[in-house]
Structures are given as C-alpha cells and as structure tokens.
C-alpha cells in the first residue's frame, strides 16, 4: 500500500482506491488529449484536514496579537487593507468579515446591475489597482468599470496576496475590547469574534463564548445599519462613548460622497470608521450606487491608521 509520512502523522495508509501512475504535468496544455491516463497524485483525507487546520490555527495564533483589525471586507474595508498592507509590510493586518463571501455590496452596481460607477478622482485608485474602466470623455465626472465584480475581485486578490494580511471570513465581530483611560474614557484594544453562524444563534443556544484579537487600531467599515451593519458605532453608543447616532440620511450623491471621504476619522481612541458605517455616526446622506467614496474613504482610513503608527 502507498504510505505517507507527515511531521505529526506517522505512517498512514493512503486511500484504498486503485493505485495508478500520477500524471505529471508542468502546464495545463500537457494534459490535452491525455485524459484516458489522467490520475491525480494520491491523497488521504486526513492530509487535507491537516493542511487546512494547521494553517488556520497558526493564523489564529499569529493574528491573536495584530497591529490592525479591519472589520468588514466591503469596498471600503478592502480598499483600506490594500493601502495599508502595501504601505507597511511590517504591520500584521487581520480582516474580519461576517459573510462567507468577502466584498460586501460591491459585487454589483445599483439595482443589481453589473456596472460600477466611480466618480473622479477615484479613477486614480482604479489605475493603482490596474482595474480597466471606461471614461466617457474629458468632461465626464465619472468612470465605469464594466462589472463591479471586476473591481472587487481585483482588490480582493491583491489584498489576499500580501503576506501580512489574513482574512477571517464567516467570522463576526461581536464586541470591541476596551481599556479605560483613567479619565472616564476608553481606548479600543481589539475585537471580540465568533463564527457568524454562532453569532446568529445566541438567542437559541446557551453560552457560546467568543474569541478575541488584540490590536491597538481597529478600523470599522461594516456598512450602514442592518442586521450586521454599523456594528462598531452602535456599540460605541451602548458603551456611552458617543451619545447618539445621527442616522443615515436620504440620497444625495454630491453631498454624500464628499462627506464620507472627508469625515473618515478616528471616532474613539483606537477606532477609525470608514465607508457607510460613518453615515450613521454623522447623519450623512447616502450616495447610492457610486463607489468612489468607498474606495477613497478606504485610502483615508488607511492614512489615519498610518498616522497612529508613525506618531
Ligand atoms: O458582511 C458585512 C459586509 O461585507 C461586513 N460586516 C458587517 N458587520 C460585521 C461584523 N463583523 C464582521 N460585525 C461585518 N463583518 O461588513 C461589510 C460591509 O460592506 P458594505 O459593502 O456593506 O459597506 P461599505 O461601507 O464598504 O460600502 C457601502 C456601499 C454602499 S451602500 C450605499 C447606499 O445605500 O447608498 N452606497 C454605497 C456605495
């Protein structure tokens, strides 16, 4: 029988299936016309389990002390992560995304249409990422990416390739870790996490305690209010760190996009808020299906975080 030896496995028998010669291929082209003799390299199921879990638990260990936690991997959170990870390869950046699929609302444009509109000057960020777009001419105030998924998948793939970033998806931030500053105020010192499916069942299952990540800087980009959205700023209200939320206002593209970018800031010591979560704090208008402010709020959130590290 075939055997494999891993560092913790000892000798274990591989699958009981027929043993044939593994196909060797340096390129996909070499497989063309060779399907009759096709055979994957053999594997035992436990090798797969160990390959996944060993890495995941090493990541949980490594990122338990992070430099920056980004809450929410929507268009703002991913843009933030890209700028930060590129600028500071020495910082450990954990992204916590409640959904299985990162990307938030940015897989489509408005009303589930494909195209994504970005108002100028956010076209600069598209050029930085290498995302192609259509420009409707020198006098046009916006550019159009042919599919929102092209923007989202490009920024996501770049973020995931940075060695100093880990995305923990299907994981919800359930609370903030806080420290008192001795003067009645608090400083954010990390996040409390749980599997999203567990977070959704605290009402019908007893005591399912969470996990934690310590970090001196948390950047919250959880989107506008909803079952998960506006998470951190709602928690700041219940912790009496801000008196009330302004509540997102009606749609006004011109006013909304400028306001979100300009007001992206550290709301409480150690907590930077960007994207549409911010509209709930300031009572800012929504912009609907234009995404320039999300990208540039991400750029500014990253700059705000870098100021803290550079101070
Ligand atoms: O799953 C959420 C989404 O992917 C995630 N999220 C929310 N709460 C979370 C929590 N823990 C972990 N407690 C959480 N993750 O945050 C992500 C938010 O992405 P989004 O696309 O909703 O927000 P954004 O601010 O990046 O982009 C907003 C896009 C909008 S909405 C809008 C309008 O309605 O006018 N206009 C634009 C451009």
């Amino acid at each position: 029988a075939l055997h494999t030896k891993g560092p913790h496995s000892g000798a274990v028998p591989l699958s009981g299936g027929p043993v044939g010669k593994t196909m060797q291929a340096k390129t996909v082209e070499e497989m063309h016309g060779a399907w009759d003799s096709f055979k994957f390299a053999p594997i035992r199921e436990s090798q797969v389990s160990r390959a996944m879990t060993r890495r995941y638990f090493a990541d949980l260990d490594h990122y338990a002390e992070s430099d920056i936690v980004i809450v929410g991997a929507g268009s703002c959170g991913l843009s933030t992560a890209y700028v930060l990870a590129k600028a500071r390869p020495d910082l450990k950046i954990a992204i916590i995304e409640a959904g299985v699929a990162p990307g938030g609302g940015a897989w489509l444009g408005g009303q589930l249409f494909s195209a994504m509109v970005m108002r100028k000057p956010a076209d600069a960020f598209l050029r930085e990422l290498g995302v192609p777009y259509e420009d409707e001419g020198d006098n046009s105030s916006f550019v159009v990416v042919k599919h929102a998924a092209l923007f989202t998948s490009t920024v996501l793939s770049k973020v995931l390739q940075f060695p100093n970033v880990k995305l923990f998806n299907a994981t919800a931030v359930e609370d903030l870790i806080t420290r008192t500053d001795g003067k009645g105020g608090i400083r954010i010192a990390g996040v409390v996490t749980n599997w999203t499916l567990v977070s959704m069942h605290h009402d019908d299952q007893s005591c399912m305690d969470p996990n934690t990540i310590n970090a001196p800087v948390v950047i919250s980009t959880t989107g506008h209010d909803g079952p998960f959205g506006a998470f951190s700023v709602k928690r700041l209200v219940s912790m009496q760190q801000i008196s009330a939320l302004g509540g997102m206002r009606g749609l006004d593209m011109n006013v909304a996009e400028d306001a979100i970018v300009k007001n992206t800031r550290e709301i409480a010591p150690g907590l930077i808020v960007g994207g549409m979560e911010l509209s709930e704090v300031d009572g800012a208008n929504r912009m609907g299906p234009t995404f320039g402010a999300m990208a540039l709020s991400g750029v500014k959130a990253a700059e705000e975080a870098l100021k803290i590290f550079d101070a």
Side-chain angles (χ1 to χ4, degrees), residues 23-298:
M23 178 184 239
Q24 302 290 325
K26 285 206 170 56
T27 64
V28 172
E29 284 69 33
E30 286 176 37
M31 295 178 203
H32 291 327
W35 300 115
D36 286 348
S37 58
F38 179 85
K39 180 121 184 67
F40 275 113
I43 201 160
R44 184 172 170 80
E45 290 78 0
S46 61
Q47 291 178 296
V48 178
S49 304
R50 284 177 171 148
M52 294 187 296
T53 54
R54 189 186 302 139
R55 284 169 178 79
Y56 200 90
F57 284 96
D59 283 337
L60 280 179
D61 181 358
H62 184 67
Y63 286 91
E65 279 288 352
S66 291
D67 294 302
I68 298 175
V69 172
I70 298 173
V71 190
S75 44
C76 182
L78 289 173
S79 303
T80 308
Y82 172 83
V83 175
L84 277 173
K86 186 177 173 199
R88 290 288 300 266
D90 57 314
L91 296 180
K92 257 194 265 181
I93 303 165
I95 309 174
I96 312 296
E97 167 51 52
V100 171
W107 289 112
L108 288 158
Q111 203 177 316
L112 309 186
F113 298 142
S114 313
M116 176 182 260
V117 171
M118 289 243 185
R119 284 171 62 208
K120 295 176 181 176
D123 52 325
F125 191 62
L126 297 175
R127 287 191 294 280
E128 161 75 26
L129 291 174
V131 175
Y133 56 80
E134 282 175 50
D135 191 335
E136 299 192 355
D138 285 348
N139 296 325
S140 160
S141 61
F142 61 91
V143 300
V144 185
V145 180
K146 73 174 181 180
H147 203 300
L150 178 57
F151 167 78
T152 302
S153 61
T154 305
V155 67
L156 182 59
S157 75
K158 295 202 181 256
V159 163
L160 292 177
Q161 286 179 60
F162 285 114
N164 55 330
V165 173
K166 171 68 187 180
L167 168 68
F168 294 97
N169 46 338
T171 306
V173 168
E174 287 195 340
D175 208 342
L176 301 168
I177 302 176
T178 61
R179 305 275 186 254
T180 55
D181 66 3
K183 292 175 267 170
I186 57 162
R187 185 175 173 85
I188 306 304
V191 294
V192 178
T193 64
N194 216 327
W195 308 116
T196 303
L197 292 176
V198 170
S199 290
M200 291 165 75
H201 282 276
H202 285 308
D203 290 343
D204 55 47
Q205 300 287 318
S206 68
C207 189
M208 296 185 288
D209 273 332
N211 201 0
T212 58
I213 298 180
N214 278 123
V217 175
V218 173
I219 304 177
S220 196
T221 63
T222 68
H224 56 66
D225 201 2
F228 279 98
F231 174 79
S232 301
V233 297
K234 286 193 282 191
R235 193 70 185 94
L236 285 185
V237 174
S238 58
M239 289 190 292
Q240 299 175 343
Q241 295 306 306
I242 47 181
S243 55
L245 293 181
M248 186 176 72
R249 304 294 163 83
L251 194 152
D252 183 340
M253 286 185 185
N254 280 307
V255 173
E257 291 215 277
D258 291 347
I260 294 292
V261 176
K262 281 188 181 156
N263 292 330
T264 297
R265 65 192 186 280
E266 193 178 14
I267 300 272
L271 182 74
I272 294 164
V273 178
M276 285 311 279
E277 181 166 359
L278 201 57
S279 71
E280 303 288 356
V281 182
D282 297 328
N285 294 94
R286 64 191 300 192
M287 71 289 295
T290 64
F291 286 83
M294 296 303 110
L296 297 188
S297 172

